[in-house]
């Protein structure tokens, strides 16, 4: 039995070595897309508008449209309230103190204010910035993103590698430069 186990393990190791990183990334991306679709099927999100980007797999579902007509432009300073969670609804980060307390992630050493970023400078993960690119000032939306547009295979404390993520975004303010 030991010889058979060794042969099987050797075969699996050889097979795993034949799959390229690009193929692995594609498989992970396809699995993320399926998981996002399952999340959408199982969760009734309030929606006044929806956008799906077929190239990235990012889905944006608006809960509120402001009608402000003010979209972010490169170099603008944005203030965004957000809540980040996994597809299992576990919250891992937020700019809202009440949400942090409700989800047992409150940190007394942190200030809970809208996140301030310079838009177009890659200061946030690509899926987060992509979601903001479609939002007007005052909009509230949920952005679902495959791991490739989140943290990918990076080691981030508290966020497992290759995690598809959900961000609830409230684009509070846009200040033009």
């Amino acid at each position: 039995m030991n010889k058979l186990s060794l042969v099987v393990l050797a075969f699996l190791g050889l097979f795993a070595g034949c799959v390229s990183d690009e193929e692995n990334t594609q498989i992970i991306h396809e699995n993320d897309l399926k998981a996002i679709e399952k999340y959408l099927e199982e969760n009734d999100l309030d929606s006044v508008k929806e956008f799906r980007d077929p190239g990235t797999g990012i889905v944006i579902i608006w809960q509120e449209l402001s009608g402000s007509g003010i979209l972010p432009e490169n170099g603008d300073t944005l203030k965004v309230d957000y809540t980040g969670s996994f597809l299992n609804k576990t919250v891992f980060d937020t700019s809202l103190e009440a949400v942090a307390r409700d989800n047992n992630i409150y940190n007394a050493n942190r200030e809970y204010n809208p996140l301030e970023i310079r838009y177009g400078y890659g200061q946030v993960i690509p899926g987060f910035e992509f979601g903001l690119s479609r939002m007007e000032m005052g909009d509230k939306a949920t952005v679902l993103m495959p791991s490739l547009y989140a943290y990918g295979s990076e080691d981030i404390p508290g966020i497992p590698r290759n995690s598809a993520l959900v961000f609830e975004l409230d684009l509070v303010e846009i200040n033009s430069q």
Side-chain angles (χ1 to χ4, degrees):
M1 186 69 163
N2 281 341
K3 288 183 181 182
L4 179 60
S5 296
L6 288 174
V7 170
V8 169
L9 286 174
F11 177 75
L12 289 175
L14 179 63
F15 178 73
C18 295
V19 178
S20 71
D21 287 342
E22 185 175 316
E23 289 169 320
N24 281 337
T25 300
Q26 184 62 34
I27 290 167
I28 291 166
H29 187 68
E30 288 170 9
N31 288 338
D32 287 350
L33 296 178
K34 289 176 189 171
I36 288 170
E37 283 307 313
K38 182 179 178 189
Y39 178 92
L40 291 170
E41 289 170 9
E42 294 176 353
N43 295 279
D44 187 27
L45 299 176
D46 291 334
S47 172
V48 294
K49 178 181 172 183
E50 184 176 314
F51 174 80
R52 292 172 180 254
D53 185 65
T56 63
I58 295 172
V59 178
I60 306 170
I61 299 172
W62 281 260
Q63 284 72 50
E64 292 182 29
L65 293 169
S66 68
S68 71
I70 304 170
L71 290 163
E73 296 180 12
N74 283 342
D76 287 350
T77 299
L78 310 184
K79 290 186 179 180
V80 184
D81 270 321
Y82 70 92
T83 299
S85 62
F86 303 112
L87 294 178
N88 68 6
K89 299 184 182 180
T90 300
V91 173
F92 60 83
D93 192 18
T94 184
S95 64
L96 303 166
E97 184 176 335
V99 173
R101 287 182 184 276
D102 289 347
N103 288 278
N104 299 316
I105 60 168
Y106 175 74
N107 179 346
N109 297 319
R110 173 184 173 175
E111 288 188 30
Y112 288 90
N113 296 310
L115 175 67
E116 189 171 309
I117 64 163
R118 293 269 322 266
Y119 177 74
Y121 286 79
Q123 294 179 332
V124 291
I125 57 176
F128 193 105
E129 191 159 82
F130 183 88
L132 292 171
S133 76
R134 299 285 178 162
M135 296 173 67
E136 296 179 3
M137 185 171 69
D139 286 1
K140 293 182 180 184
T142 301
V143 180
L144 296 100
M145 63 193 73
S147 60
L148 183 62
Y149 299 97
Y151 295 100
S153 61
E154 290 183 47
D155 268 330
I156 303 294
I159 301 176
R161 293 175 180 219
N162 303 314
S163 293
L165 300 178
V166 179
F167 278 93
E168 296 172 24
L169 303 179
D170 179 357
L171 184 48
V172 177
E173 191 176 311
I174 298 176
N175 291 308
S176 298
Q177 298 299 315

